[in-house]
Amino acid sequence: MGFGRDLTNSYEGLLKLQDWELKLLEMVKRFMTLRVKSDKEYAALLLSMTQQTEKQEPVDFVSTVSKSWSQVVHQTEALGRIMRGHADDLNSGPLHRLATLIRDKQQVKKSYQSLHQQLESQNHKITKTELEKLKSTYRQLCRDANNAKEKYREALAKGREAERARDRYDKATAKLHNLHNQYVLTVCGAQIQQDEHRRHAAPALLDALQRMQEDMTLALKSILEEYCEISSLLTEEMVKVHQEISAAVQQIDPLAEYQQFIEAYRCPETPEASVEFDATLLEETDNIPANEILWNTLTADSLQAIIQTTCSEATRDKKNCEKMVTGR
């Protein structure tokens, strides 16, 4: 299968094909333009975020969490720079090449139309226009020769000016015969032209168009491959950034998190005054012992209530502690 063998009578179809492909390329161009724009905006947002974070007051206390967070911010800034570079590469690489391809494809279509019209015009001129002119002249000379023949016969019959009529008849016949030869040669030339056009010229143009179409399809494939490579989120540098972020998070150590804080704020234990029963309170009382509970008919009820309340609170506190420990 091929253009030259199968599409010799598909001129309008080929124009539609090229128009459709140009529309597709314009669609791809718009898509890539939006991708470049969105990547630039995303990169600018990442860089703005990190800059605003870095401008905030530094954390006084340095720990595994603060170190990891600082690394996350730093790597996010690196990610923003990478995305900005990728957007610039997309703009200067695939998008620029695509714009060039569209212009080339427009020129190919224009050239194909022009060459097709030239071939068709040349073929029509030789196989139809020139032949129609000769055929019209041929018919006229036939009429002229027949008229001269009739006049010659009339002159012979009347016996007057036969010689003169014969001369006119011979000239008319000579013109007809010469034109006949010219017409025969022109028909042969038209047949050769028609065969050349059908077998060689038209197929050669179509095959050349097919080769250019295939070359431009290959160019588009290369452009899309480059686009995929640049826009991929799995490039080595992108993967490395995310690995660094993940590694920074893994550096957080809850067991070591507060060691530096403890070292910084550790202070010796301050001796506290012991708590003692103030014996001076008993100076005006009658035989109330210090540091002893008085259990008698006057205090029994209140002490019993205190015991019950204390037991209930102890039980509740024990359950709360168990929940805190088990996490339930």
Side-chain angles (χ1 to χ4, degrees):
M1 297 178 66
F3 282 19
R5 186 175 64 182
D6 301 304
L7 300 180
T8 52
N9 297 316
S10 302
Y11 175 69
E12 295 299 329
L14 286 168
L15 292 183
K16 289 180 180 179
L17 171 66
Q18 293 175 84
D19 286 338
W20 179 82
E21 290 179 337
L22 282 168
K23 288 180 181 179
L24 177 62
L25 290 178
E26 290 290 348
M27 185 187 305
V28 175
K29 181 182 176 183
R30 287 194 297 272
F31 177 88
M32 284 192 183
T33 301
L34 290 174
R35 178 60 187 268
V36 169
K37 180 181 177 182
S38 64
D39 282 1
K40 284 186 176 181
E41 291 175 349
Y42 178 53
L45 181 59
L46 288 177
L47 293 173
S48 176
M49 289 165 48
T50 56
Q51 288 172 1
Q52 291 177 12
T53 302
E54 291 172 348
K55 287 180 181 179
Q56 296 176 1
E57 293 184 3
V59 179
D60 294 333
F61 171 59
V62 178
S63 64
T64 59
V65 171
S66 62
K67 289 179 179 179
S68 296
W69 173 243
S70 177
Q71 184 67 4
V72 169
V73 173
H74 176 71
Q75 292 301 325
T76 302
E77 181 181 8
L79 180 62
R81 291 195 298 268
I82 292 172
M83 291 298 297
R84 184 173 60 188
H86 284 187
D88 292 338
D89 291 342
L90 282 176
N91 190 53
S92 61
L95 191 55
H96 177 73
R97 291 174 59 197
L98 184 61
T100 302
L101 180 61
I102 290 174
R103 290 195 297 270
D104 290 344
K105 201 165 189 65
Q106 290 171 337
Q107 184 59 46
V108 166
K109 179 189 175 185
K110 183 178 179 180
S111 298
Y112 169 64
Q113 287 179 293
S114 177
L115 290 172
H116 174 81
Q117 291 171 359
Q118 289 179 22
L119 286 177
E120 290 296 319
S121 177
Q122 178 70 9
N123 188 61
H124 187 273
K125 176 182 177 182
I126 294 175
T127 61
K128 293 183 178 180
T129 305
E130 293 182 355
L131 284 178
E132 288 300 324
K133 289 181 180 180
L134 287 175
K135 285 162 68 176
S136 177
T137 305
Y138 198 115
R139 293 188 181 96
Q140 182 61 47
L141 292 181
C142 280
R143 290 193 291 269
D144 292 345
N146 288 332
N147 289 335
K149 182 179 179 181
E150 289 297 323
K151 289 181 180 181
Y152 172 61
R153 287 177 177 176
E154 290 176 2
L156 284 177
K158 294 178 180 179
R160 292 182 305 176
E161 297 183 346
E163 230 12 80
R164 189 173 178 182
R166 175 70 186 185
D167 183 58
R168 286 197 294 269
Y169 173 47
D170 288 343
K171 288 181 179 180
T173 302
K175 284 184 179 182
L176 175 61
H177 289 179
N178 286 327
L179 184 67
H180 172 83
N181 291 338
Q182 183 181 354
Y183 178 66
V184 169
L185 292 174
T186 303
V187 168
C188 290
Q191 290 172 343
I192 293 172
Q193 165 63 27
Q194 190 177 55
D195 186 68
E196 172 66 20
H197 178 80
R198 180 171 54 86
R199 291 178 178 273
H200 301 289
L205 174 61
L206 291 172
D207 287 339
L209 175 63
Q210 182 176 357
R211 287 192 296 272
M212 285 186 286
Q213 290 281 114
E214 291 170 346
D215 287 344
M216 287 186 289
T217 300
L218 180 61
L220 177 60
K221 179 181 180 180
S222 175
I223 290 171
L224 292 177
E225 287 175 342
E226 185 181 8
Y227 166 81
C228 292
E229 181 180 353
I230 294 174
S231 62
S232 173
L233 300 179
L234 300 177
T235 58
E236 183 178 350
E237 55 185 353
M238 294 281 281
V239 171
K240 184 178 179 181
V241 166
H242 286 285
Q243 287 176 340
E244 291 289 341
I245 292 176
S246 179
V249 173
Q250 295 304 316
Q251 293 299 315
I252 297 176
D253 184 1
L255 298 179
E257 175 67 10
Y258 302 103
Q259 290 181 359
Q260 292 185 6
F261 178 80
I262 294 171
E263 290 293 333
Y265 289 90
R266 182 171 57 182
C267 59
E269 182 178 353
T270 303
E272 298 181 9
S274 60
V275 179
E276 300 289 345
F277 187 93
D278 189 354
T280 61
L281 297 173
L282 303 176
E283 291 177 354
E284 299 182 5
T285 63
D286 252 349
N287 299 323
I288 297 178
N291 289 318
E292 293 183 13
I293 298 295
L294 294 177
W295 184 285
N296 52 43
T297 56
L298 299 176
T299 62
D301 291 341
S302 64
L303 287 173
Q304 189 65 38
I306 291 173
I307 291 172
Q308 291 178 354
T309 301
T310 303
C311 289
S312 298
E313 290 178 352
T315 301
R316 184 175 63 251
D317 291 343
K318 180 180 179 182
K319 290 181 178 180
N320 289 336
C321 288
E322 290 176 349
K323 288 182 180 179
M324 292 176 64
V325 171
T326 59
R328 298 179 181 176

